Amino acid sequence: MKEQYPIRELFPELEEDLYEEMINHGEIREIPAGTVMLRKGQSIRSTMLILNGIVKLYQEDGEGNEFFMYDIEPGEACAVSMVCTYRQENSQVVAKALTDVAVLIIPLQYMDEWLGKYKSWHYFVIRTWRARYEELLNTINEIAFKNMDERLEFYIKGQVKKMGRQIKLTHQEIATDLNSSREVISRLMKKMEKNGWIIIHRNSFEWIKA
Amino acid sequence: MKEQYPIRELFPELEEDLYEEMINHGEIREIPAGTVMLRKGQSIRSTMLILNGIVKLYQEDGEGNEFFMYDIEPGEACAVSMVCTYRQENSQVVAKALTDVAVLIIPLQYMDEWLGKYKSWHYFVIRTWRARYEELLNTINEIAFKNMDERLEFYIKGQVKKMGRQIKLTHQEIATDLNSSREVISRLMKKMEKNGWIIIHRNSFEWIKA
DNA sequence: TTTTCTGTGTGATCACGGTCACCTATAAAC
DNA sequence: GTTTATAGGTGACCGTGATCACACAGAAAA
């Protein structure tokens, strides 16, 4: 592994020996934007740590509907991939490269071995699961208790946090993420614009609210 | 700790030394039905393993709405309680004893110490997080993609699995769990009865569909 | 027994959001 | 420049589920 990515900064507070092992046994893979990196049902043979880019996780039902769960960013790991025995077909989780992405792939055997050897790895794994669990909790909060306008606001704020105030998404893409329809999103965004929250351009918009 | 609960059967495949430690350092607490065992925001100082009874986890929003997440049964642990640094106020997770409950309380220091010492404990913790994560995934599936009738069916089937075909729940209680209204649930259940899926009694009903 | 309370049944109405139809504007392709 | 494709705007309509109003039945309390 060429040390072109600053893994010590991306994944701070791991043991030095562990960094060595990650460098020795991990494989860096670069993945172009748009690639489906993981589809559930597919059995998983390795763990992925994100070095660069953004990976989007979403659910699919059988009828081509999607539902955005959360994004994974550099320094984070794919919880779903940290699993040995993965069966169960009902919920289709898909991971897709949103941008060009670089991941560090850890074969399952090391993932496992390190659990015994490095306490920091241990904590990392648990922290990852917990963080994802909380993301899902928030998501449930949104869809269980809130209307589309609030969900849209929450969604956009999340995007702003990750991508900055300039968001390059079409209304259709947002609608897909929220499992809604383009017309509904267009109307709600028009209202947001009237309220002075955003400015709508073609293919993008700007969040101008504080 | 009196060994009145078969922890080796409830939590199989842990190391023998670990069982000893659990017995020596764990505290058994018996909790009457209806008790709120954990409210989020409350900082957690221990891990709870369920020895007996059923614990229900649900979310609350600010306006008195509830939303059922899942039940925890004997042999399982409360993932939410396996956390040291728990802040974040936005999603209110509540754990409530659905029946009389007995839990084994592990002080946080051991929870932590054992992670280093016992590989089986390790796996247990990770397995717990993963299992809960998957439960949430299913929940999201339900509310994101499905209508009330399907969600109700899913909910009832879950109850049947845990409690048997005879379900002692009022329509109002179900409505609360699904964050719906009594009238809607009554109507849908009436339809189920017409279809020969259930028989409705007062305060309870029977699942008779295969 | 009569009253009261709680759980359930049911119609009327309403709001949110999904769908359809169609239109405009901008950008890319010819 | 003209055509074509794609993003977005907007009205009309409709279905699901929430809400309101009220009736009724069984159980508990008086």
Side-chain angles (χ1 to χ4, degrees), chain A residues 34-205:
Chain A
T35 310
V36 171
M37 298 166 62
L38 185 142
R39 164 162 284 124
K40 203 161 166 182
Q42 151 186 356
S43 71
I44 293 144
R45 299 259 150 275
S46 52
T47 295
M48 289 188 289
L49 310 188
I50 312 297
L51 298 170
N52 190 36
I54 297 182
V55 176
K56 168 178 163 178
L57 257 88
Y58 57 95
Q59 282 210 74
E60 267 180 356
D61 72 351
E63 283 89 50
N65 297 308
E66 295 184 8
F67 188 88
F68 172 72
M69 302 198 311
Y70 49 78
D71 286 332
I72 314 179
E73 298 182 77
E76 302 180 330
C78 177
V80 183
S81 76
M82 300 203 300
V83 167
C84 329
T85 55
Y86 229 72
R87 344 107 274 151
Q88 192 198 56
E89 210 48 49
N90 42 350
S91 64
Q92 289 278 351
V93 174
V94 182
K96 183 189 271 184
L98 206 63
T99 62
D100 286 350
V101 163
V103 292
L104 180 62
I105 296 184
I106 312 287
L108 217 56
Q109 65 187 103
Y110 294 108
M111 155 90 197
D112 210 66
E113 195 183 311
W114 297 348
L115 280 181
K117 277 162 83 176
Y118 304 107
K119 202 165 187 182
S120 64
W121 176 247
H122 212 140
Y123 285 129
F124 179 75
V125 172
I126 292 174
R127 204 162 57 231
T128 297
W129 277 106
R130 211 200 57 190
R132 296 314 157 201
Y133 179 91
E134 288 193 23
E135 298 257 22
L136 291 194
L137 228 49
N138 278 332
T139 304
I140 288 182
N141 235 298
E142 290 296 308
I143 42 180
F145 299 130
K146 300 194 183 161
N147 287 348
M148 214 54 210
D149 53 350
E150 294 180 277
R151 289 179 50 202
L152 178 59
E153 187 185 343
F154 178 84
Y155 174 85
I156 293 179
K157 280 177 175 169
Q159 295 294 319
V160 168
K161 208 167 194 174
K162 281 173 304 220
M163 322 286 272
R165 303 176 92 85
Q166 196 73 31
I167 308 288
K168 278 186 296 307
L169 287 172
T170 65
H171 298 182
Q172 180 58 63
E173 289 169 321
I174 297 173
T176 302
D177 276 356
L178 296 175
N179 193 36
S180 176
S181 68
R182 184 197 52 85
E183 295 92 323
V184 170
I185 300 301
S186 279
R187 275 190 262 266
L188 291 175
M189 289 187 67
K190 204 74 208 156
K191 204 187 290 178
M192 285 183 163
E193 194 175 44
K194 282 203 183 85
N195 291 342
W197 297 10
I198 60 174
I199 297 169
I200 300 176
H201 310 288
R202 191 189 169 84
N203 284 314
S204 77
F205 62 95

Side-chain angles (χ1 to χ4, degrees), chain B residues 25-48:
Chain B
H25 301 298
E27 177 203 347
I28 290 184
R29 190 168 301 164
E30 316 223 338
I31 294 165
T35 310
V36 171
M37 299 166 61
L38 185 143
R39 165 162 283 124
K40 203 161 166 182
Q42 151 187 358
S43 72
I44 293 144
R45 300 256 149 277
S46 51
T47 296
M48 289 188 289

Side-chain angles (χ1 to χ4, degrees), chain B residues 7-8 11-26 49 104 106 110-111 113-115 117-124:
Chain B
I7 60 164
R8 288 176 182 75
F11 304 95
E13 296 178 48
L14 303 182
E15 283 134 300
E16 184 53 34
D17 289 358
L18 178 51
Y19 289 125
E20 300 293 332
E21 292 222 45
M22 285 166 73
I23 291 166
N24 290 332
H25 301 298
L49 308 190
L104 180 62
I106 312 288
Y110 294 109
M111 155 90 196
E113 195 183 312
W114 297 349
L115 279 182
K117 278 162 84 175
Y118 304 108
K119 202 165 187 185
S120 62
W121 176 248
H122 210 142
Y123 285 129
F124 178 76

Side-chain angles (χ1 to χ4, degrees), chain B residues 61-123:
Chain B
D61 72 351
E63 283 91 48
N65 297 308
E66 296 184 7
F67 188 88
F68 172 72
M69 303 198 310
Y70 49 78
D71 286 331
I72 315 179
E73 297 182 78
E76 303 180 328
C78 177
V80 182
S81 77
M82 300 203 299
V83 168
C84 330
T85 54
Y86 228 72
R87 340 109 275 152
Q88 193 195 55
E89 210 49 47
N90 43 350
S91 63
Q92 289 278 351
V93 173
V94 182
K96 183 189 271 183
L98 207 62
T99 63
D100 286 350
V101 163
V103 293
L104 180 62
I105 297 185
I106 312 288
L108 219 55
Q109 66 187 104
Y110 294 109
M111 155 90 196
D112 211 66
E113 195 183 312
W114 297 349
L115 279 182
K117 278 162 84 175
Y118 304 108
K119 202 165 187 185
S120 62
W121 176 248
H122 210 142
Y123 285 129

Side-chain angles (χ1 to χ4, degrees), chain A residues 3-33:
Chain A
E3 290 198 49
Q4 46 189 315
Y5 297 97
I7 60 163
R8 287 175 183 75
E9 287 161 43
L10 285 169
F11 305 95
E13 296 178 48
L14 302 183
E15 283 133 300
E16 184 53 35
D17 288 357
L18 178 52
Y19 290 125
E20 300 293 332
E21 292 223 45
M22 286 167 73
I23 291 165
N24 290 332
H25 302 297
E27 177 204 345
I28 289 183
R29 190 169 300 165
E30 317 223 338
I31 294 165

